Amino acid sequence: MKEGLRELPPLPAILDPGNSTRNKTGGWGAFKPNIDKNKCVYCLLCWIYCPDAAISRLEEENKVEVNYEYCKGCGICSQVCPVKAIEMVRR
Ligand code: SF4
Ligand code: SF4
């Protein structure tokens, strides 16, 4: 490590594990995903690929749902869905 980097303060640091649940990041997006639960085949690709862990599994229904408080509207879920069950719409 270069000497100059050692002089930088140690922040930003996560001193309070789990604090990301308090930071609602969903307001950033211009679009949001709409899931057609009738088309969904519960492959979970959207759940795996969502970079914000904004998709939850509804195990009893074998469906998924989006938590809009954390979804940033990136659209990755709609791109990976094999049955085109996710449509991105304006917020
Ligand atoms: S739009 Fe992006 S952030 Fe929102 S649920 Fe889909 S993959 Fe996750
Ligand atoms: S990727 Fe599509 S089919 Fe798979 S769980 Fe998500 S919404 Fe359902």
Side-chain angles (χ1 to χ4, degrees):
M1 187 183 300
K2 290 184 178 177
E3 198 55 41
L5 290 177
R6 290 181 193 279
E7 293 163 10
L8 289 173
L11 296 174
I14 296 174
L15 304 174
D16 180 13
N19 66 6
S20 62
T21 58
R22 292 198 299 270
N23 299 321
K24 311 290 190 216
T25 54
W28 300 359
F31 292 89
K32 66 176 184 177
N34 258 359
I35 299 178
D36 183 340
K37 291 185 177 177
N38 293 320
K39 284 187 184 174
C40 174
V41 294
Y42 201 55
C43 68
L44 296 179
L45 284 177
C46 57
W47 177 75
I48 291 167
Y49 278 96
C50 175
D52 289 295
I55 295 180
S56 304
R57 294 180 297 173
L58 303 175
E59 291 188 18
E60 288 182 7
E61 295 178 40
N62 282 351
K63 302 291 182 215
V64 290
E65 73 176 1
V66 178
N67 186 335
Y68 293 114
E69 289 190 331
Y70 298 101
C71 166
K72 295 192 187 100
C74 67
I76 290 173
C77 54
S78 72
Q79 292 294 311
V80 300
C81 178
V83 294
K84 304 295 178 207
I86 305 177
E87 179 187 12
M88 298 302 293
V89 297
R90 281 217 168 264
R91 281 185 185 261

